């Protein structure tokens, strides 16, 4: 199973909203939430982790672009793809200046929107602003932090951060020790699998309630796997 991304669809057109939700739900990589208003969207991204928002411009309570401004001001950093019936350059500029990442003009082909969503998720996950859910923790690679559900912070080393990030991107697929060594340390004849095992041991001491019986960072198929 790959990593599941939480998508929030915001549109007051229930027919379109339901159709998009139904189509995106066919892909196991997505989990869907919906909202019919700008205020509902602002509340939704504050309440739980949302990986990407698809936001209509013409909402009943507030212009979607203004809602994006509020979301960004409140600290929301994930990608936002705007939907609009207006395709002028001026409208596009207004949306991007408000903090949106992309603009899709109605009517559009679903395949185009799907490609844009996937592209922005890939870009975001490679950025320093990316935030991931790893078990009971919120993982902030840019600041090398794990934040527990109660708000306590655990500082990670650069290598520990790189290990977690690579395993997260692999979903639940086990990654061989040699692959992790290459990805995290690069080509270095002085680094052995013992070095990796030492880092895994220290990482488990930080993230596992019972490090001797790992449930989050597990050994599997000659390597390691993350249960995010």
């Amino acid at each position: 199973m790959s990593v599941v991304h939480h998508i929030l669809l915001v549109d007051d057109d229930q027919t379109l909203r339901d159709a998009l939700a139904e189509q995106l739900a066919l892909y196991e990589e997505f989990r869907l939430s919906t909202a019919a208003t700008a205020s509902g969207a602002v509340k939704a991204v504050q309440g739980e982790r949302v990986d990407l928002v698809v936001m209509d411009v013409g909402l009943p309570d507030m212009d979607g672009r203004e809602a994006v401004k509020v979301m960004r001001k409140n600290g929301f950093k994930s990608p936002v793809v705007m939907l609009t019936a207006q395709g002028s350059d001026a409208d596009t500029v207004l949306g991007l200046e408000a903090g949106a990442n992309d603009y899709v003009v109605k009517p559009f082909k679903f395949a185009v929107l799907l490609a844009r969503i996937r592209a922005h998720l890939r870009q975001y996950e490679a950025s320093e602003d990316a935030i991931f859910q790893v078990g009971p923790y919120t993982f902030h690679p840019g600041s090398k932090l794990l934040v527990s559900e109660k708000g306590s912070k655990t500082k990670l080393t650069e290598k520990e951060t790189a290990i977690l990030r690579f395993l997260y991107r692999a979903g639940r697929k086990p990654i061989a020790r040699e692959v992790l060594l290459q990805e995290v340390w690069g080509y270095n004849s002085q680094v052995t699998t013992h070095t990796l095992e030492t880092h895994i041991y220290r990482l488990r001491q930080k993230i596992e309630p019972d490090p001797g019986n790992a449930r989050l960072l597990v050994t599997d198929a000659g390597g390691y796997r993350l249960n995010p």
Side-chain angles (χ1 to χ4, degrees), residues 37-111:
T37 64
S39 58
V42 171
K43 184 177 180 180
V45 299
Q46 290 179 311
E48 62 176 320
R49 183 178 63 86
V50 173
D51 297 304
L52 183 141
V53 176
V54 177
M55 170 86 74
D56 187 33
V57 170
L59 295 169
D61 56 337
M62 185 192 303
D63 187 294
R65 292 166 295 206
E66 292 302 315
V68 173
K69 283 184 181 179
V70 174
M71 290 159 58
R72 295 304 192 204
K73 186 177 180 181
N74 290 343
F76 182 71
K77 296 182 182 295
S78 297
V80 176
V81 177
M82 303 294 297
L83 299 181
T84 179
Q86 306 296 324
S88 70
D89 289 344
D91 283 297
T92 301
V93 169
L94 284 173
L96 296 176
E97 287 184 344
N101 299 82
D102 205 350
Y103 238 67
V104 176
V105 179
K106 298 177 182 178
F108 55 85
K109 292 183 178 180
F110 175 74

Side-chain angles (χ1 to χ4, degrees), residues 6-190:
H6 182 193
I7 308 295
L8 174 65
L9 299 174
V10 189
D11 201 304
D12 62 331
D13 183 337
Q14 184 174 351
T15 301
L16 175 61
R17 191 174 68 242
D18 290 348
L20 285 177
E22 184 178 341
Q23 287 177 296
L24 287 168
L26 295 174
Y27 298 86
E28 293 184 354
E29 67 199 88
F30 301 127
R31 177 170 71 87
L32 282 303
S33 295
T34 62
T37 64
S39 58
V42 171
K43 184 177 180 180
V45 299
Q46 290 179 311
E48 62 176 320
R49 183 178 63 86
V50 173
D51 297 304
L52 183 141
V53 176
V54 177
M55 170 86 74
D56 187 33
V57 170
L59 295 169
D61 56 337
M62 185 192 303
D63 187 294
R65 292 166 295 206
E66 292 302 315
V68 173
K69 283 184 181 179
V70 174
M71 290 159 58
R72 295 304 192 204
K73 186 177 180 181
N74 290 343
F76 182 71
K77 296 182 182 295
S78 297
V80 176
V81 177
M82 303 294 297
L83 299 181
T84 179
Q86 306 296 324
S88 70
D89 289 344
D91 283 297
T92 301
V93 169
L94 284 173
L96 296 176
E97 287 184 344
N101 299 82
D102 205 350
Y103 238 67
V104 176
V105 179
K106 298 177 182 178
F108 55 85
K109 292 183 178 180
F110 175 74
V112 172
L113 178 62
L114 178 61
R116 299 279 185 90
I117 287 172
R118 285 172 168 164
H120 285 292
L121 286 171
R122 286 195 300 269
Q123 290 172 14
Y124 177 69
E125 289 185 352
S127 75
E128 289 300 306
D129 290 331
I131 297 173
F132 308 111
Q133 194 68 33
V134 176
Y137 304 99
T138 304
F139 177 34
H140 302 250
S143 51
K144 301 181 181 66
L145 280 178
L146 280 174
V147 183
S148 73
E149 293 171 319
K150 294 182 179 180
S152 61
K153 298 178 179 179
T154 301
K155 188 69 176 176
L156 302 174
T157 67
E158 181 180 348
K159 298 302 184 187
E160 289 167 349
T161 299
I163 290 168
L164 268 189
R165 189 168 193 160
F166 190 79
L167 289 176
Y168 178 89
R169 287 177 174 168
R172 297 179 186 272
K173 176 184 175 183
I175 301 298
R177 290 177 175 85
E178 293 74 18
V179 174
L180 263 179
L181 278 172
Q182 178 64 36
E183 291 293 333
V184 176
W185 278 270
Y187 178 74
N188 186 337
S189 59
Q190 303 303 313

